[in-house]
Amino acid sequence: MATSKRIYNWYIALVAAMCMVLYGYDASVFNAAQGSDNWLEWFNLDIERDANLIGLVNTAYTIGAIVAGWFLGGPTADYFGRRVGMGIGCILTIAATFMQAFAPWHNLGCFIGGRVLIGIGQGMALTAGPIYIGEVSPPEIRGQIMTFWQMFYSVGSFIAYWIAYACNANKAKLGDWDWRMVVIFQILVPLIIIILLPFQPESPRWWIKRHNNVEEAKKCLRKIRETEEEVEYEVLTIREAIEFENEAVSGSYLALFKDPSIRKRLYLAFVLNVGQQLSGQGTLNSYSSAIYKTIWPSSQTINLINALNATCGILFTLNAVWTADRFGRRWLFIVGAIGMGICMLIVPVVGMTTPEVIGAKGTATKTQPVGIAIVFLLFLFIFFYKPSWGATTWIWTSEVFSMNVRAQAVGMCSQMQNVANTIFQQFFPIFLARQGLKCLFFFMAINFVLAVFVYFCIPETMKVPLEEIDALFGGQNHVEKGGQMLNVSDTQQANAGKNNVEVLQHETTRDMDV
């Protein structure tokens, strides 16, 4: 049976994970808003005439997110704390939501400004959130907890798409509020996070790194660890690792470039985060409606499909809860990439080998049974993506960096998703228009390459304590070297480690009994 401290540990981690709802909601909200004729009329836009301008509205978000992830999120989370980083991100998201929802008539500039600001807010929240979760979670369940980070992305999409579906069904009554309702509901989750954050502990690692305040770190850990031995051991390993990083490597972000081991991790994480977007998920999230429109003329049908997709995404992500800490990160990456590649192979084959019919608008389209088959395959793609390259990319990225660079590195790596997506989106619409479903062969090839890359280049990090990750990448063991600097005896380390192992074994046995 789970103890009250373990439940509280899950609770504070899930509050932080709710930051991902912001990302999931926003990734879907603009897709829903631009499908509204009232939104187009309000800002005097035409989909064909102003395609580049509409693309700029979408790109504005990524510019803000990239700036925040690379230059603001890490320093804020390191200097003011993980909770403050998440809180500021939520406040900016709320302010930006009002800018978008109440932008004046034909004033697209105000809407674009809101998109930039919401990108900055989410870039800060998405930097601090996964760091906080990784730093408060015990290593034996860190993967399970981080799974909910990706799941809350699906929750955000779920909320956005179902609100869009309801608003679209009642657009005659709502008028201009059919798109405003979708936008303004974006304030709901950030408000909840802002209310809850002040009542949960700060990261113990931040207390020691930023203020060298061991007592505050212990106070935080006593709320989420079962025994005093666990608390003492964790504080000792944190102090040892930070001491080594400050003295032997660099206490600043310069370690990103000075330490070969950290550089290696940075490049590997860059590839994983770029690969996440080039797997096809980011593009399908933005252009699924365009693909479905070739089969179904009804926008309500398309909104329903997107809403069901988001609903299934929540369920599919939960598969990582029981696999991430059982089979490992590498297993999820490889199986997911192969599964996605097969889906991206079959979809265009179905499209190329089935006959076309003349649709209601006089254009060639697919029959409804073929359309249903394609939708099923795209849902199957999501089944493979969500627990693997969706959840596990965030898990791996948030746990592989040492304390001295963790916030900055996670911010940079996570925003590589937006960098890749922004660049790719510049030519994918042309690619889709010219090649149709055959463009999905590109994603097939990328996914198979990613599976090979993981097999040869990505080490397993399952259940490895954060302070001992460095040794996996050719670096020195920061705990061992830091212990020597602090003159911690081997006996003291062994006794603390022994007590900690006994606690972990007891918890594992208890969990198996449950």
Side-chain angles (χ1 to χ4, degrees), residues 176-357:
D176 290 328
W177 279 92
D178 72 330
W179 64 269
R180 281 201 181 97
M181 289 288 287
V182 179
V183 172
I184 206 165
F185 262 94
Q186 200 162 10
I187 69 171
L188 177 63
V189 173
L191 274 175
I192 295 173
I193 296 172
I194 290 172
I195 292 170
L196 297 178
L197 275 179
F199 302 102
Q200 60 188 66
E202 182 53 85
S203 163
R205 287 164 173 82
W206 178 80
W207 277 115
I208 295 177
K209 172 66 177 175
R210 179 74 181 90
H211 297 288
N212 196 26
N213 194 328
V214 175
E215 289 308 312
E216 281 293 338
K218 288 182 179 180
K219 189 185 298 184
C220 296
L221 285 170
R222 288 187 183 110
K223 296 179 180 180
I224 54 178
R225 298 294 183 262
E226 300 297 335
T227 66
E228 189 64 23
E229 287 80 6
E230 275 188 282
V231 172
E232 293 293 338
Y233 176 71
E234 193 159 339
V235 167
L236 177 62
T237 57
I238 295 170
R239 289 182 61 212
E240 290 170 341
I242 291 175
E243 179 69 18
F244 175 75
E245 290 160 12
N246 288 338
E247 296 296 329
V249 185
S250 174
S252 70
Y253 297 152
L254 291 175
L256 282 168
F257 310 102
K258 291 172 60 177
D259 188 328
S261 169
I262 294 178
R263 281 203 309 272
K264 178 182 178 181
R265 279 170 269 180
L266 189 67
Y267 298 150
L268 290 175
F270 276 177
V271 174
L272 291 179
N273 282 272
V274 169
Q276 185 196 65
Q277 294 304 303
L278 296 187
S279 68
Q281 162 59 16
T283 302
L284 290 176
N285 196 53
S286 299
Y287 291 96
S288 59
S289 296
I291 294 172
Y292 298 149
K293 279 180 180 177
T294 63
I295 304 167
W296 290 283
S298 170
S299 60
Q300 190 164 351
T301 300
I302 294 170
N303 283 333
L304 177 60
I305 293 172
N306 285 330
L308 290 172
N309 190 323
T311 305
C312 291
I314 296 174
L315 302 176
F316 296 159
T317 306
L318 290 174
N319 285 323
V321 174
W322 64 272
T323 55
D325 287 325
R326 179 172 298 182
F327 300 111
R329 291 36 162 166
R330 281 167 47 85
W331 184 88
L332 277 168
F333 276 135
I334 294 171
V335 171
I338 293 173
M340 291 188 295
I342 292 173
C343 291
M344 290 295 98
L345 168 65
I346 299 175
V347 170
V349 168
V350 170
M352 293 165 59
T353 57
T354 52
E356 292 183 336
V357 296

Side-chain angles (χ1 to χ4, degrees), residues 444-503:
M444 174 203 73
I446 289 292
N447 281 304
F448 290 148
V449 169
L450 287 174
V452 175
F453 170 78
V454 170
Y455 183 82
F456 287 105
C457 301
I458 300 298
E460 183 57 69
T461 57
M462 179 178 63
K463 298 185 180 180
V464 179
L466 293 178
E467 282 71 34
E468 299 178 14
I469 286 280
D470 299 81
L472 294 177
F473 298 89
Q476 294 178 302
N477 189 312
H478 289 198
V479 174
E480 179 182 326
K481 297 297 182 181
Q484 295 172 5
M485 291 180 175
L486 290 173
N487 295 319
V488 177
S489 68
D490 293 340
T491 303
Q492 183 178 348
Q493 282 187 325
N495 288 338
K498 179 175 179 293
N499 291 331
N500 191 54
V501 168
E502 289 174 350
V503 170

Side-chain angles (χ1 to χ4, degrees), residues 15 30 54 63 73 117 119 206 214 233 238 248 259 308 331 356 363 374 381 387 432 439 483 503-504:
V15 170
F30 181 63
I54 293 173
I63 292 172
L117 189 61
W206 178 80
V214 175
Y233 176 71
I238 295 170
D259 188 328
L308 290 172
W331 184 88
E356 292 183 336
T363 57
I374 290 174
F381 174 91
L432 177 62
C439 69
V503 170
L504 295 182

Side-chain angles (χ1 to χ4, degrees), residues 383-401:
F383 172 81
F384 284 108
Y385 169 82
K386 286 295 184 179
S388 58
W389 288 83
T392 310
T393 299
W394 286 98
I395 295 172
W396 197 89
T397 301
S398 67
E399 66 188 3
V400 297
F401 294 102

Side-chain angles (χ1 to χ4, degrees), residues 410-449:
V410 170
M412 292 168 64
C413 293
S414 63
Q415 290 311 315
M416 288 302 293
Q417 298 175 22
N418 278 322
V419 171
N421 206 25
T422 300
I423 295 173
F424 191 67
Q425 300 299 8
Q426 301 309 306
F427 64 85
F428 181 77
I430 301 171
F431 197 13
L432 177 62
R434 291 181 178 177
Q435 300 297 326
L437 291 176
K438 286 189 287 186
C439 69
L440 300 185
F441 284 128
F442 170 82
F443 298 124
M444 174 203 73
I446 289 292
N447 281 304
F448 290 148
V449 169

